[in-house]
Amino acid sequence: MQKVIGLNLNGNAYQVEEPGYAALRAYLDEAEATLKDNPDRAEILGDLEQAIADKCQGVLGPHKSVVTSADVDRILAEMGPVEAGASATGTADEKAAGGSEDNKADASAPRKLYQLREGAMLSGVCNGLAAYFDLDVTVIRVAFVVLAVLTKGVWLLVYAILSFIVPYANTPEEKAAARGRRFSAQDVVDQAKRNYAEFKHNPAWKRQWRMQGRQWRRQWRAAMHNRWTGPSAPWVETANVWGGVVSPLYAIVNIALIVLLVLAIVSLAKTHALF
C-alpha cells in the first residue's frame, strides 16, 4: 500500500504515489536551481511541468487514476536532466541551423506527421512535411506550387485535405516527434532561448512597438481634445449646470417684464401717462 499525494502541474491536478511525488519535487527543484540565472526561468519551469503533466495523462486510463512511482521514474528518464552547459547555453542561431546534436533525428524515435505553426505561411502543412521528410521547407513549397500549376489546381485541394486531416503539433513532445527526435527537458530550454533570440534580433517587433506607441499617443491626444472641446468638457458641464440654475430665474424676469409692459400700456391708455 502506498500513500497518494495530490499534485498540481501547471494547473493540471494528478494523484501521485508519495515516492513519485518526492522524485518529481526533487527534479523540479534541481531544474529551478540550474536555471536560477535564466531570465525565462518561470516560463521554462511552466513548460517543464506541462510536459510532465502530458506524460502523466498518457499513463492514466479508465481503470487507473493514480500515477505510480514507476511511471514517474520512467517519465523523468524520458525527460532527462536540465543542463546549464553547452547544450543549454548554445546560441539560438546554431540551434535553428541544426548545428546542435539536439536537432538531429533519433533513429529509435518514431517520426510522425504534424502541422507545424512556427514559420508557417498558411496552416503549416509544408512545415510538417519538410520536418517529416527531413527536407528544406522551401523545396516542399516549390513542389506544391509546381504540382498545383501542372494539375490545374488539384494539388490545392490536396493541401486543403491535408490541412484538415493532419493534426497540429501542440505539445513539445509532438513537435519533437515531427522531426524524429525524442522529447527531453533540454528541448524546453532550447526553445525558450530560440524564442528570446528571435524576439531580440527581429526588427519587426521594434517597428510594431513604435507603431503601437504612436497609436497610443494619437489616441491620448484625441481623448484630451474631446475632453476639453467635446460635450463632456469641464467648462461645458459647468455651463450646463449654471444654465440649469439661471434658466428659471431668467423665465421669472421675463414674465415680470411682460407684466410691467402690460401695466404700462394700460396706464398709458387711461391716464395718458406711464404709471
Side-chain angles (χ1 to χ4, degrees):
M1 183 175 65
Q2 288 282 0
K3 182 179 179 180
V4 175
I5 299 177
L7 182 66
N8 184 346
L9 291 171
N10 199 34
N12 303 277
Y14 297 98
Q15 290 182 317
V16 185
E17 290 181 351
E18 186 174 15
Y21 172 82
L24 280 173
R25 183 72 271 169
Y27 178 85
L28 292 174
D29 287 343
E30 183 179 356
E32 185 174 7
T34 303
L35 300 169
K36 65 181 185 299
D37 297 327
N38 194 311
D40 299 321
R41 179 181 60 182
E43 180 182 351
I44 294 173
L45 290 175
D47 291 341
L48 285 175
E49 290 188 5
Q50 185 60 52
I52 295 173
D54 293 338
K55 290 180 178 291
C56 289
Q57 186 63 40
V59 303
L60 299 178
H63 304 290
K64 183 179 180 181
S65 60
V66 177
V67 181
T68 64
S69 300
D71 293 331
V72 172
D73 293 339
R74 179 176 56 80
I75 289 171
L76 296 183
E78 292 176 356
M79 292 291 294
V82 178
E83 300 176 355
S87 179
T89 58
T91 63
D93 295 337
E94 293 174 353
K95 302 290 183 183
S100 171
E101 294 295 328
D102 294 337
N103 276 332
K104 294 183 179 179
D106 186 352
S108 61
R111 189 185 293 266
K112 298 181 180 180
L113 180 60
Y114 291 101
Q115 294 187 65
L116 299 176
R117 293 186 176 91
E118 291 80 2
M121 296 184 66
L122 293 177
S123 68
V125 172
C126 291
N127 277 348
L129 291 172
Y132 186 81
F133 293 108
D134 197 16
L135 296 173
D136 189 278
V137 67
T138 305
V139 176
I140 301 296
R141 288 169 177 164
V142 170
F144 259 97
V145 172
V146 172
L147 290 173
V149 172
L150 294 179
T151 59
K152 298 182 180 180
V154 174
W155 270 84
L156 294 178
L157 179 61
V158 173
Y159 185 96
I161 294 173
L162 289 175
S163 66
F164 277 103
I165 64 175
V166 177
Y168 280 101
N170 295 317
T171 66
E173 192 167 9
E174 291 174 344
K175 293 176 183 179
R179 294 177 171 83
R181 296 188 290 107
R182 292 193 181 277
F183 173 76
S184 66
Q186 202 59 48
D187 290 331
V188 177
V189 180
D190 294 339
Q191 183 61 46
K193 297 182 81 64
R194 284 195 293 270
N195 293 340
Y196 176 76
E198 291 174 1
F199 178 79
K200 181 178 179 181
H201 298 293
N202 187 5
W205 74 268
K206 297 180 180 179
R207 290 195 299 269
Q208 184 176 2
W209 177 258
R210 288 195 294 267
M211 292 174 60
Q212 186 65 51
R214 287 194 293 268
Q215 182 178 358
W216 286 338
R217 288 193 293 272
R218 286 195 296 267
Q219 291 175 352
W220 182 80
R221 294 193 189 101
M224 294 303 295
H225 178 76
N226 292 333
R227 174 64 178 165
W228 291 102
T229 62
S232 61
W235 67 270
V236 174
E237 295 177 357
T238 303
N240 291 335
V241 172
W242 278 104
V245 174
V246 173
S247 293
L249 298 177
Y250 182 73
I252 294 173
V253 171
N254 281 338
I255 294 173
L257 290 175
I258 292 173
V259 171
L260 185 63
L261 177 63
V262 171
L263 293 176
I265 294 174
V266 172
S267 177
L268 182 63
K270 289 184 177 181
T271 63
H272 302 285
L274 293 176
F275 306 110

